[in-house]
Amino acid sequence: MLLTIPAVLNPDELARARAILATAPWADGKATAGYQSAMVKRNQQLPEEAAETRELQKLVLQALGRNAMFASAALPLRVYPPLFNRYGEGMTFGDHIDNAIRRPPAGQGGPLRTDVSATLFISEPGDYEGGELVVEDSYGSHRVKLAAGAMVVYPASSIHRVEPVTRGARIACFFWVQSLVREDARRTLLFDLDGALGGLRKRGLAGEPEMIGLTGIYHNLLRMWSET
Ligand code: NI
């Protein structure tokens, strides 16, 4: 499932993030790339240990914590401490698949399996040309360029790339999620069921006996499929 989540960051948070990023110490993005992806990766990143990174991480994690759509779609067990990248003119990241296992910096938890990849856009689409995130799946390729503050989540098992930026700069936050449910198809079913249940609740049907049954099925599927 490739899902767009609107307005993950509110305008105040975006302004705060941009203020921090304006003076942040950008470094070569190859620092966190595996062997294969280092060959096609040309961008900049904030060092994981920088004070600016820590402050931005706190801001993003707080926003994720209140986002019901993210919780329902990703079913997060653990979130990798978010990273921040910048693509200036001519920068790009060719086709690759993200590493299956990531190790956060010391003191931030043990290795994490990357089930879900996320990109949270910080630049406005009008700030740059090119720079689309292109994600391949069995239905073809999806070109993603979202409003500032919006986020896309997609299976970390997908081949993806960032098209060359030809004007301006594209700044984004990206991270991975180890999900309670490893398989994308199962997460998608749970997300669809959760969404349908939410729709019925909004129509005032929460008290119906069938709702108790369907809600039970959601939890029993989650119980069957989740690993903690
Ligand atoms: Ni990637």
Side-chain angles (χ1 to χ4, degrees):
M1 158 180 51
L2 182 144
L3 178 74
T4 294
I5 306 179
V8 170
L9 295 183
N10 64 36
D12 287 349
E13 289 166 333
L14 269 176
R16 178 78 196 121
R18 288 188 187 131
I20 300 167
L21 286 161
T23 57
W26 294 107
D28 190 335
K30 285 190 170 49
T32 56
Y35 175 77
Q36 187 73 35
S37 33
M39 294 193 290
V40 290
K41 186 175 187 182
R42 289 200 300 280
N43 69 358
Q44 295 176 303
Q45 267 176 220
L46 285 192
E48 299 198 70
E49 68 280 5
E52 289 88 347
T53 309
R54 296 296 167 91
E55 195 175 347
L56 289 161
Q57 286 172 340
K58 214 188 289 174
L59 186 147
V60 170
L61 290 171
Q62 250 168 28
L64 292 179
R66 63 169 191 257
N67 195 292
M69 198 188 283
F70 171 70
S72 177
L75 296 167
L77 172 64
R78 287 178 58 207
V79 175
Y80 190 93
L83 295 167
F84 298 83
N85 61 15
R86 178 183 180 278
Y87 293 78
E89 279 182 26
M91 295 186 190
T92 182
F93 195 166
D95 278 336
H96 66 282
I97 289 185
D98 296 341
N99 285 359
I101 306 291
R102 309 278 330 190
R103 291 169 208 284
Q108 294 187 271
L112 171 152
R113 188 187 64 233
T114 58
D115 296 319
V116 177
S117 292
T119 298
L120 168 55
F121 289 75
I122 294 177
S123 299
E124 290 291 356
D127 291 348
Y128 58 98
E129 265 164 39
E132 292 86 355
L133 170 67
V134 183
V135 181
E136 310 281 352
D137 69 11
S138 47
Y139 295 101
S141 54
H142 306 268
R143 301 177 72 82
V144 183
K145 187 173 192 171
L146 301 177
M151 182 167 83
V152 61
V153 293
Y154 58 97
S157 51
S158 324
I159 291 182
H160 59 281
R161 65 179 177 273
V162 175
E163 297 280 47
V165 167
T166 55
R167 177 189 64 79
R170 171 203 196 268
I171 295 176
C173 166
F174 66 103
F175 56 89
W176 302 273
V177 177
Q178 179 168 337
S179 179
L180 291 162
V181 176
R182 181 192 293 236
E183 283 178 47
D184 176 57
R186 290 176 173 180
R187 284 195 304 273
T188 303
L189 276 177
L190 289 166
F191 178 69
D192 289 345
L193 180 53
D194 192 33
L197 286 167
L200 290 171
R201 264 182 232 115
K202 269 192 203 137
R203 285 163 55 184
L205 298 169
E208 300 294 326
E210 291 84 354
M211 277 294 288
I212 297 168
L214 288 169
T215 304
I217 289 171
Y218 175 86
H219 285 286
N220 287 333
L221 287 174
L222 184 56
R223 203 184 324 276
M224 192 185 300
W225 291 337
S226 59
E227 313 155 78
T228 59

